Amino acid sequence: MYSQGTQAVSHRRNVRYYSTSPAARRRREASSQERVRLLQLAVCLALFLTIFLWKGVFPQKLGQVRDDLLALITTDLDLQGTLARLGESLAGEGTVLSELGSFCLEVFGAEPREEPPEPAPPLPPLPEGAGLLEDELHFLSRRSDAAARISHYADLTRYGLTAVPVEPAPEPEPEPEPAPPEEPAAVPAVGTVISVSDYSGDPLPNNYTMDQLSLGELETVTPVMGHLNSEYGYRDHPINGRYQFHGGVDIGGQSGDPIGAFAAGTVEYTGEDDSYGLYLQVDHGNGVKSFYAHCSRIVVTKGQVVALGEKVAEIGSSGSATGPHLHLELKYNKMHLNPVYYVDILEQ
């Protein structure tokens, strides 16, 4: 008879032996697989000995035995591969080992080996005269840096060409410095003789000159644009017929046409007589004065300041005149000047 304590100990032992924990199951599976591998190896060796001894007696049965053996041991593919590699390593050894290796190769097969790729067929020979292409292919097959490539392709003689020397561009000529603006010539002072006339006629009356004198910086305009009816100098008077000096110029025009001031100034006087008809005189300063006669109407008064070109009168034929015109006289310090030097006259 067993006591209850003895039964409890026995029960605990049984529980520990048949434990179903994961670690115990893995150990049991590993042990089982080892036993299977050892059994397969033993069978393989036994069959090898049998076949080695009876190979010459039952050669026709070898294929069937190999198939049966493969069916038996294929339960573990890793073992099959291991035996195949073992056979490869033993195939070149001694007689017994060689026979064992050959047997393993026949039974288990050899793992396929990767065959080295076949070399590419050589390029066909280049045609005659293709040396340049061959050189280029050879150059491209090398790994050259940027400097080598530039030097290679810059050699034009390889292509049968001759490098043309490039002359450096001529340096641009420095632009000439602009000439400083010319300073305006100094204007001669008022009354300075600018040009001397080659007059050779009768002696001139007092206070009359044929020379051109400077009016200084006085800005002037032509009072009336018209044709020259009578010049400055000696002439036969158109009315009385006497040969006498004409102290101004007669500029033709239409009655009522405006007469502008020769220059800015102040009206010195206005008047009327039988010879000049309606007349006026403007003082321009510095001794320069202008006189207008034979007017049909005067539009300014004594002492009035007038601007350059401002209307001072209208053309007429008052006084001793044969038709409407402007009688214009210019003076410098009581010296009569030839107005032709200072106004524009329309050509005939």
Side-chain angles (χ1 to χ4, degrees):
M1 293 179 70
Y2 294 95
S3 65
Q4 292 181 353
T6 304
Q7 291 178 356
V9 171
S10 177
H11 177 71
R12 284 195 301 268
R13 288 177 181 174
N14 293 336
V15 170
R16 286 195 302 266
Y17 182 79
Y18 294 102
S19 173
T20 57
S21 64
R25 284 200 303 271
R26 285 195 296 270
R27 287 195 298 269
R28 288 197 300 271
E29 290 175 359
S31 177
S32 176
Q33 290 177 358
E34 292 296 331
R35 288 197 299 271
V36 170
R37 290 193 181 97
L38 292 176
L39 176 62
Q40 289 175 341
L41 181 58
V43 172
C44 179
L45 291 176
L47 289 176
F48 166 71
L49 292 176
T50 302
I51 294 171
F52 177 74
L53 295 175
W54 295 344
K55 184 176 181 181
V57 180
F58 304 104
Q60 68 278 7
K61 297 295 184 178
L62 182 60
Q64 181 178 359
V65 172
R66 184 187 62 180
D67 294 339
D68 295 341
L69 182 60
L70 284 175
L72 175 63
I73 65 177
T74 50
T75 56
D76 192 341
L77 296 179
D78 291 337
L79 179 61
Q80 180 183 0
T82 302
L83 294 176
R85 287 189 293 272
L86 176 62
E88 290 179 2
S89 62
L90 296 178
E93 300 295 336
T95 304
V96 176
L97 296 178
S98 174
E99 290 294 334
L100 178 59
S102 299
F103 168 75
C104 292
L105 288 176
E106 289 184 10
V107 174
F108 300 104
E111 293 183 355
R113 295 183 180 181
E114 294 183 359
E115 296 293 334
E118 296 183 0
L123 295 175
L126 297 174
E128 185 178 356
L132 178 60
L133 179 59
E134 184 176 1
D135 292 343
E136 291 297 328
L137 293 175
H138 178 68
F139 177 76
L140 294 175
S141 65
R142 296 179 298 173
R143 294 183 177 180
S144 304
D145 56 8
R149 291 195 297 272
I150 294 174
S151 175
H152 176 78
Y153 289 111
D155 185 10
L156 298 179
T157 58
R158 298 169 44 259
Y159 306 98
L161 302 176
T162 303
V164 179
V166 179
E167 298 182 357
E171 296 183 358
E173 297 181 358
E175 296 184 359
E177 296 182 0
E182 296 182 0
E183 296 182 0
V187 178
V190 178
T192 304
V193 177
I194 297 177
S195 64
V196 178
S197 173
D198 58 354
Y199 176 76
S200 60
D202 295 339
L204 298 176
N206 292 333
N207 298 325
Y208 287 86
T209 181
M210 287 293 186
D211 297 336
Q212 181 181 4
L213 305 182
S214 172
L215 301 181
E217 296 182 354
L218 183 65
E219 185 178 1
T220 64
V221 296
T222 301
V224 173
M225 292 299 298
H227 298 287
L228 183 62
N229 292 343
S230 182
E231 296 181 355
Y232 173 85
Y234 284 99
R235 67 165 185 172
D236 293 328
H237 195 280
I239 294 178
N240 58 31
R242 289 184 298 184
Y243 185 72
Q244 63 185 40
F245 196 88
H246 185 221
V249 293
D250 293 340
I251 303 173
Q254 300 295 322
S255 181
D257 288 348
I259 300 172
F262 174 72
T266 303
V267 177
E268 185 177 9
Y269 59 80
T270 64
E272 183 178 6
D273 63 22
D274 293 340
S275 177
Y276 290 112
L278 290 173
Y279 59 83
L280 73 141
Q281 183 165 291
V282 180
D283 185 357
H284 305 294
N286 293 327
V288 180
K289 299 178 181 182
S290 59
F291 177 79
Y292 312 84
H294 304 295
C295 301
S296 62
R297 187 167 73 98
I298 297 176
V299 298
V300 294
T301 59
K302 181 181 178 179
Q304 180 178 339
V305 176
V306 295
L308 173 69
E310 182 180 346
K311 180 180 177 180
V312 293
E314 295 177 357
I315 289 179
S317 56
S318 59
S320 297
T322 58
H325 69 280
L326 167 64
H327 175 80
L328 175 64
E329 297 181 8
L330 296 178
K331 308 170 186 177
Y332 170 69
N333 288 339
K334 298 182 180 181
M335 177 72 67
H336 288 74
L337 308 177
N338 187 354
V340 171
Y341 293 130
Y342 311 100
V343 296
D344 298 324
I345 302 297
L346 295 180
E347 296 181 357
Q348 298 289 345

